[in-house]
Amino acid sequence: MSDRVLRVEVDGRAVSDEQLRHLALHSYGHFTAMQVRGGAVRGLDLHLARLTAANHEMFGAELDPDRVRAHIRHALGDLADASARTMIVLGADDLPAVLVTVRPPAGVSSAPLSLRSVPYLRPLPHLKQIGGGFGQVYYRRLAARDGFDEALLTGPEGVIAEGGITNVGFFDGTGVVWPDAPALSGITMQLLERDVPSRRTTVRLADLPTFDGVLVTSSRGIAAVGRVDDLRVPVATDRMKALSEAYDAVPWDRI
């Protein structure tokens, strides 16, 4: 899969050099990321609700969902399958603008992932912030340098919150346990919570050996975890299969 950018549009028009210069100097904004298949996405209502709520909080402004959908459709053009990122950014006129980037479609790794725990919690984690914070990028790069696939963000006493760009869940005898800690409410996680037995509770690094398995979710889908730091964790193959089937059954919404 290539990460090359295929198209970039601002408010339905190809981005100009002036807009690019402005965006390079001003990174204030929020976004949502989605996988498009056949011109449709899973959880479109959740994506639009995320953008609308963040727009109220960050810009104090209304956001027209139909306008956002129209800009995504325009940026996709004749592409039925893609990775689309919709960002609400501070335009050159100091007003919110809709920036859409289109990349090739993406998926998750079929091999179990490894997570490196780090002592960091994102500021304002309920907002999906453009660019992420310095700490988030720093620790993800540090994890990758040490041979890990993702950072696992933790607070005092090893309380687990989320992955660097993922949500993390744990299998126990009742279903999926999601950390009750400051974290982004990911779209994939929200979709699973609608159909899969789930609960929220405090989870610490010391609790990991008590779980039947660990997983991460992101806009790309669901992946199993096979290692956290030096701890090998069991890959709950049957549970992952059932979870993947539940996710695959989520209906696709036309953009």
Side-chain angles (χ1 to χ4, degrees), residues 32-51 65 68-73 76 79-86 100-103 105-106 187-188 191 194 218-220 247-255:
T32 195
M34 57 186 72
Q35 289 298 313
V36 182
R37 300 293 184 270
V41 302
R42 291 186 176 103
L44 181 60
D45 60 327
L46 299 176
H47 284 288
L48 295 174
R50 163 187 281 170
L51 292 174
V68 172
R69 293 173 70 176
H71 288 329
I72 299 172
R73 287 195 300 268
L76 288 170
L79 293 175
D81 301 340
S83 300
R85 179 171 292 199
T86 304
V100 181
T101 65
V102 178
R103 291 181 169 88
I187 303 299
T188 300
L191 290 171
R194 287 177 171 180
S218 69
S219 62
R220 295 186 176 190
Y247 184 61
D248 289 343
V250 173
W252 292 82
D253 306 314
R254 294 291 301 180
I255 299 173

Side-chain angles (χ1 to χ4, degrees), residues 11-162:
D11 288 335
R13 296 181 294 276
V15 65
S16 67
D17 290 343
E18 180 182 352
Q19 288 170 324
L20 282 175
R21 285 193 292 270
H22 174 79
L23 293 171
L25 296 172
H26 303 83
S27 60
Y28 185 76
H30 59 93
F31 76 100
T32 195
M34 57 186 72
Q35 289 298 313
V36 182
R37 300 293 184 270
V41 302
R42 291 186 176 103
L44 181 60
D45 60 327
L46 299 176
H47 284 288
L48 295 174
R50 163 187 281 170
L51 292 174
T52 300
N55 218 58
H56 276 293
E57 182 170 348
M58 295 182 66
F59 293 107
E62 297 291 334
L63 186 66
D64 182 358
D66 290 334
R67 172 182 168 230
V68 172
R69 293 173 70 176
H71 288 329
I72 299 172
R73 287 195 300 268
H74 191 273
L76 288 170
D78 59 353
L79 293 175
D81 301 340
S83 300
R85 179 171 292 199
T86 304
M87 294 170 268
I88 312 301
V89 299
L90 192 64
D93 56 3
D94 206 37
L95 295 174
V98 180
L99 170 65
V100 181
T101 65
V102 178
R103 291 181 169 88
V108 295
S109 171
S110 58
L113 303 182
S114 56
L115 310 182
R116 163 69 82 188
S117 65
V118 298
Y120 179 73
L121 296 175
R122 295 188 305 116
L124 301 173
H126 63 289
L127 296 171
K128 196 169 178 69
Q129 308 152 27
I130 289 177
F134 173 81
Q136 181 182 358
V137 176
Y138 170 79
Y139 280 118
R140 291 195 73 239
R141 289 180 63 87
L142 201 63
R145 193 176 71 190
D146 290 341
F148 289 83
D149 299 300
E150 168 69 308
L152 181 62
L153 310 187
T154 67
E157 299 180 357
V159 171
I160 295 172
E162 59 185 338

Side-chain angles (χ1 to χ4, degrees), residues 110-115 148-149 208 212-216 223-236 240:
S110 58
L113 303 182
S114 56
L115 310 182
F148 289 83
D149 299 300
L208 291 180
D212 302 328
V214 182
L215 66 131
V216 294
V225 173
R227 178 164 66 108
V228 178
D229 295 332
D230 294 328
L231 177 68
R232 296 287 177 177
V233 297
V235 175
M240 283 297 301

Side-chain angles (χ1 to χ4, degrees), residues 170-171 203-214 231-234:
F170 308 90
F171 290 119
V203 179
R204 294 179 171 82
L205 289 171
D207 300 326
L208 291 180
T210 68
F211 292 105
D212 302 328
V214 182
L231 177 68
R232 296 287 177 177
V233 297

